[in-house]
Amino acid sequence: MILPLSEFDIIARYFNREGLAARDDARFPLGIGDDCALIEVPDGCHLAVSMDVLGEDVHFPADAPADQVASKALAVNLSDLAAMGAEPAGFTLGLTLPRADEDWLAAFAEGLVPLSFRHDCPLIGGDITRGPLSVAIQVHGFVPRGKALARAGAQPGDLIFISGPLGAAGLGLELVTGRRRFEGHAPAVLGRLERAYYRPEPRVELGIRLRGLAVCAIDVSDGLLADLQHMARAAGVEMRLELNRIPVSPDCETVLGYNGALDYALSAGDDYELAFCAPEGKRKEIEALARELDLACCCIGVVAAGGGSVQCVDRDGRDVPAPKAAGYRHF
Ligand code: ADP
Ligand code: MG
């Protein structure tokens, strides 16, 4: 008789293993296996903590490949550390599963490995229960005191930057959910759109290097307009967004044309590029940093005095209405 896997079998077989779980790591005197993990926070640093919960049919299709779900869940968490200028340390994992499917678990655990390895961010604990599929990850990172890149901080005269093109992940979601038909487009284009949705690149190195250059930052998860709005509100300023400077995803443009692609760049989420503000005097340094990190980072507007809003402007600086005023909201 084959007995179903217990919670402890699952942890031992898939999660508490070499290459994923913390081992002989000075940052973690205790990892998986005790009542708590212990974290050694370096002197002079804050512990930065963030959590994202991804639910079936809300954040990923029910039939999404397990490795993609895992990778995305870790990526969006690392992106929050990036947006804070924090260096990843470790993560915990809360899994709710309808059943203990070994193939799914093996693929899921495998999907965590590349980003965990690349960002030196091992698994240090978690929990597993039965229920509808949901993946909760909490990341822990370190940031020197006084250096964190909060959402507030922009001042009139600062420039607004974005770390790369936008829109592909939002269109990728339409592709993986089958909500839109994509006949006649090259498989390479569709492959890149799907990848943009499932495998966003958390801008961790950029976030760390922006300490002392940027005055505020946010990762674009809900759409550029919505996320700039958060920074504008936090600082009580107006963000003047020059529409013609927004880098739209070339693949999005291929499928939708420029205007359609611009809509996605403004309002679709899931790209996880960093939006940040910096004084004009830091522009050269930021451009050099972007070249060094091979990022298509660019200036998309300026900060003005105001009351916490985003205003779209044309190339002559004249106010124009936002093409769409969305941003993804769950409720
Ligand atoms: P408790 O009963 O104290 O909640 P558990 O039996 O749930 O402890 O977990 C035992 C150990 O395994 C703990 O150290 C916990 O952090 C770890 N753990 C549980 N689930 C996971 C998981 N999905 N990934 C990594 N570690 C896990
Ligand atoms: Mg438990």
Side-chain angles (χ1 to χ4, degrees):
M1 186 170 89
I2 301 170
L3 291 171
L5 282 179
S6 77
E7 180 187 345
F8 303 103
D9 297 331
I10 293 173
I11 296 164
R13 195 174 300 177
Y14 300 107
F15 297 116
N16 191 7
R17 63 180 172 91
E18 198 70 37
L20 181 59
R23 295 266 192 278
D24 299 320
D25 189 322
R27 299 170 297 179
F28 304 106
L30 272 180
I32 293 174
D34 218 304
D35 297 318
C36 290
L38 295 178
I39 305 179
E40 190 75 52
V41 182
D43 285 346
C45 282
H46 283 303
L47 179 66
V49 178
S50 179
M51 165 174 247
D52 268 298
V53 182
L54 275 66
E56 177 180 63
D57 288 329
V58 181
H59 300 93
F60 55 86
D63 59 352
D67 60 325
Q68 308 271 42
V69 174
S71 176
K72 174 145 187 174
L74 186 51
V76 303
N77 274 277
L78 289 167
S79 177
D80 281 318
L81 289 179
M84 212 64 194
E87 180 181 327
F91 72 101
T92 49
L93 168 67
L95 261 186
T96 310
L97 299 170
R99 74 197 89 78
D101 178 327
E102 297 193 43
D103 290 339
W104 193 92
L105 281 162
F108 182 87
E110 216 38 63
L112 294 171
V113 171
L115 282 172
S116 167
F117 176 78
R118 196 136 41 89
H119 296 286
D120 194 17
C121 186
L123 183 59
I124 59 169
D127 199 20
I128 302 177
T129 71
R130 188 184 296 273
L133 181 58
S134 117
V135 179
I137 285 182
Q138 183 170 48
V139 278
H140 306 82
F142 304 136
V143 62
R145 284 172 197 271
K147 299 282 189 205
L149 301 173
R151 292 178 176 192
Q155 294 195 352
D158 287 345
L159 303 178
I160 309 166
F161 295 87
I162 187 79
S163 63
L166 300 170
L171 191 56
L173 175 62
E174 310 266 285
L175 177 66
V176 303
T177 53
R179 266 189 249 148
R180 174 190 284 269
R181 301 178 77 83
F182 285 80
E183 275 112 22
H185 293 291
V189 170
L190 302 187
R192 284 195 297 269
L193 289 173
E194 181 170 335
R195 195 178 165 79
Y197 174 70
Y198 277 127
R199 307 257 170 183
E201 190 60 53
R203 301 301 184 195
V204 171
E205 180 68 17
L206 177 67
I208 292 170
R209 300 282 297 275
L210 283 175
R211 292 175 194 157
L213 286 178
V215 290
C216 59
I218 194 167
D219 59 327
V220 179
S221 55
D222 295 338
L224 182 65
L225 286 175
D227 288 315
L228 286 184
Q229 182 85 53
H230 293 311
M231 284 201 299
R233 227 177 257 143
V237 294
E238 181 174 276
M239 302 253 164
R240 297 184 63 77
L241 178 61
E242 228 184 282
L243 292 179
N244 62 295
R245 286 182 187 266
I246 294 169
V248 305
S249 144
D251 291 317
C252 243
E253 197 171 341
T254 301
V255 174
L256 303 170
Y258 176 77
N259 287 335
L262 181 61
D263 274 350
Y264 271 75
L266 286 168
S267 301
D270 286 307
D271 283 305
Y272 297 96
E273 295 293 347
L274 292 189
F276 56 96
C277 297
E280 167 79 54
K282 303 286 189 195
R283 185 203 280 264
K284 288 253 146 46
E285 259 180 279
I286 287 168
E287 286 169 355
L289 176 60
R291 276 194 299 278
E292 185 192 329
L293 300 180
D294 201 20
L295 294 175
C297 181
C298 58
C299 176
I300 53 172
V302 295
V303 179
S309 57
V310 179
Q311 175 64 58
C312 295
V313 301
D314 66 13
R315 63 183 71 238
D316 300 315
R318 281 185 303 238
D319 291 7
V320 291
K324 260 190 195 170
Y328 190 81
R329 279 172 189 255
H330 291 278
F331 303 105

